[in-house]
Amino acid sequence: MKISQWNTKMASKQLQAAAQIVQEPDALYSGCPSDTSRIGREKVCEGCPGREMCLQFSGQDAEQKYIDIRMNAVKRKILVLSGKGGVGKSSIACNLAIALTRLSKKVGVADLDICGPSVPSMMGVDGGKIISTSYGWQPLTSPHGGVKVMSVGSLLEDQDLAVVWRGPRKTAVVKRFLKDTFWGRLDYLIFDTPPGTSDEHLTVTKLLMTAKPEGVVIVTTPQEVALATIRKEIDFCRKMNLPIIGIIENMSGYMCPCCQEWSDVFGEIGGTEKLAKEYDISFLGKIPLDPNLVECCERGESVFSKAPHTSSVNALKILAWSLDSKDTSIA
């Protein structure tokens, strides 16, 4: 057989396999050992396109005990997820962290959005550099409540350079954020993850498994196109045995600062609450569109100091209080 014919035949088989995966995902992945020590090694794994990735996670990581030491010093570890980009996930993560410090909590934020880090600028530490000490990487300290911040954005020499990394390198960086960063004793460590379900999510989920993460907060906007992706996030969390603390609806409406009239920017949809009820998940509340919040995030300022009486600040305070008083250990 000629090489060109062999290549064509192999390509055809790969396309057929891919089509089968798309058409029959449940049948193909039934019995998937992704949450066991046999990950990547069972018969069902043969031919799976994700087998190589799974094999990287198989077995006990020699550095896991050091990660556990760091993470066990943190009382609550919360992942902030979104199905798609542009829903304000990072702004929610950062402002939630600041709101928790107003409840006298010690808080840290780990920016796991490796390719698009925005946390440093939002937290007012843009331009700061990470220092390596005998205790590990020293995270930057935000002027807003003393929140500890760790991000790839603070490791780059040039902020305009694109981060073009494959999965293994992303995995290594996420691991260092957990193992080599001197977080100290914290009440909360909030992980701002990239949109979707990718290497960063799989890595942090596995590494936190023995340290018992508090759970996941999912951020969405009211439109159906955003809610459709949230169903996939919920499915991901359940497959990875991650507790879902609840769903937040961001940019849910606009309240006029003059007359206090409420406007539903995306129409009276109400889809987020219906989705939460459908999946029996807590609905944590709505964060309205607020020009003050947007401006403060852009400038790296705290909306709690600059515009303390706005509707978004009130909503964020209620959210922080709700999370802090919520017993998610049984969720």
Side-chain angles (χ1 to χ4, degrees):
M1 182 184 296
K2 294 182 179 179
I3 293 178
S4 59
Q5 293 176 328
W6 184 84
N7 287 337
T8 302
K9 187 176 181 180
M10 289 301 296
S12 177
K13 287 184 177 180
Q14 289 172 353
L15 284 172
Q16 290 173 4
Q20 188 181 6
I21 289 169
V22 172
Q23 293 169 9
E24 304 178 65
D26 294 333
L28 280 169
Y29 295 117
S30 60
C32 174
S34 60
D35 56 350
T36 71
S37 60
R38 295 292 301 168
I39 179 172
R41 300 176 183 178
E42 294 289 357
K43 186 174 181 62
V44 71
C45 302
E46 296 177 8
C48 175
R51 187 182 187 188
E52 291 300 320
M53 175 66 72
C54 288
L55 286 172
Q56 293 179 24
F57 287 91
S58 62
Q60 179 65 38
D61 193 324
E63 297 178 324
Q64 185 65 51
K65 62 179 180 180
Y66 302 110
I67 294 172
D68 292 343
I69 291 172
R70 296 279 196 196
M71 292 297 103
N72 285 333
V74 180
K75 291 181 181 178
R76 291 184 166 186
K77 298 160 281 286
I78 296 176
L79 282 72
V80 180
L81 273 62
S82 69
K84 64 189 295 295
V87 299
K89 171 185 50 59
S90 295
S91 62
I92 293 294
C94 291
N95 284 286
L96 174 60
I98 299 172
L100 287 167
T101 65
R102 301 236 158 191
L103 298 176
S104 302
K105 304 298 178 181
K106 295 180 179 178
V107 187
V109 177
D111 187 1
L112 301 187
D113 196 343
I114 306 298
C115 296
S118 56
V119 170
S121 59
M122 290 186 181
M123 296 300 295
V125 294
D126 201 18
K129 296 300 178 185
I130 302 298
I131 299 173
S132 182
T133 70
S134 57
Y135 298 101
W137 280 348
Q138 187 69 44
L140 300 175
T141 302
S142 170
H144 312 314
V147 177
K148 293 184 177 181
V149 179
M150 191 68 194
S151 173
V152 165
S154 301
L155 297 172
L156 299 173
E157 292 294 331
D158 186 347
Q159 299 298 313
D160 294 329
L161 289 177
V163 179
V164 187
W165 292 351
R166 294 184 184 274
R169 193 168 183 185
K170 289 183 180 180
T171 298
V173 170
V174 172
K175 183 184 289 188
R176 292 206 65 181
F177 280 6
L178 273 64
K179 180 180 74 73
D180 295 332
T181 302
F182 182 51
W183 293 107
R185 294 190 178 277
L186 296 176
D187 295 303
Y188 288 90
L189 181 56
I190 296 174
F191 295 90
D192 179 30
T193 65
T197 53
S198 55
D199 296 325
E200 294 90 334
H201 305 82
L202 293 170
T203 302
V204 72
T205 299
K206 176 183 180 292
L207 296 177
L208 287 177
M209 198 64 71
T210 53
K212 298 179 180 178
E214 191 79 6
V216 168
V217 170
I218 301 176
V219 181
T220 185
T221 49
Q223 314 99 300
E224 182 56 38
V225 68
L227 293 174
T229 62
I230 293 303
R231 291 180 172 86
K232 298 176 183 178
E233 291 294 321
I234 294 171
D235 183 54
F236 168 79
C237 292
R238 291 181 172 175
K239 284 180 177 177
M240 302 303 293
N241 295 320
L242 275 173
I244 301 175
I245 298 172
I247 302 178
I248 300 171
E249 183 177 281
N250 194 27
M251 309 181 202
S252 63
Y254 175 73
M255 181 177 288
C256 177
C258 301
C259 65
Q260 304 301 307
E261 181 182 356
W262 181 269
S263 300
D264 289 302
V265 179
F266 299 107
E268 295 184 14
I269 302 174
T272 308
E273 293 182 70
K274 292 178 182 177
L275 182 69
K277 188 176 293 186
E278 176 187 343
Y279 284 92
D280 194 24
I281 298 170
S282 297
F283 180 66
L284 299 177
K286 300 180 179 182
I287 310 296
L289 281 167
D290 184 358
N292 296 289
L293 179 61
V294 175
E295 184 178 351
C296 286
C297 287
E298 290 288 333
R299 295 183 177 181
E301 299 173 343
S302 170
V303 70
F304 296 88
S305 300
K306 295 293 182 179
H309 304 297
T310 57
S311 56
S312 63
V313 168
N314 292 332
L316 286 164
K317 285 180 178 178
I318 293 171
L319 172 62
W321 179 85
S322 175
L323 279 177
D324 191 53
S325 60
K326 191 177 182 66
D327 183 9
T328 56
S329 62
I330 59 173

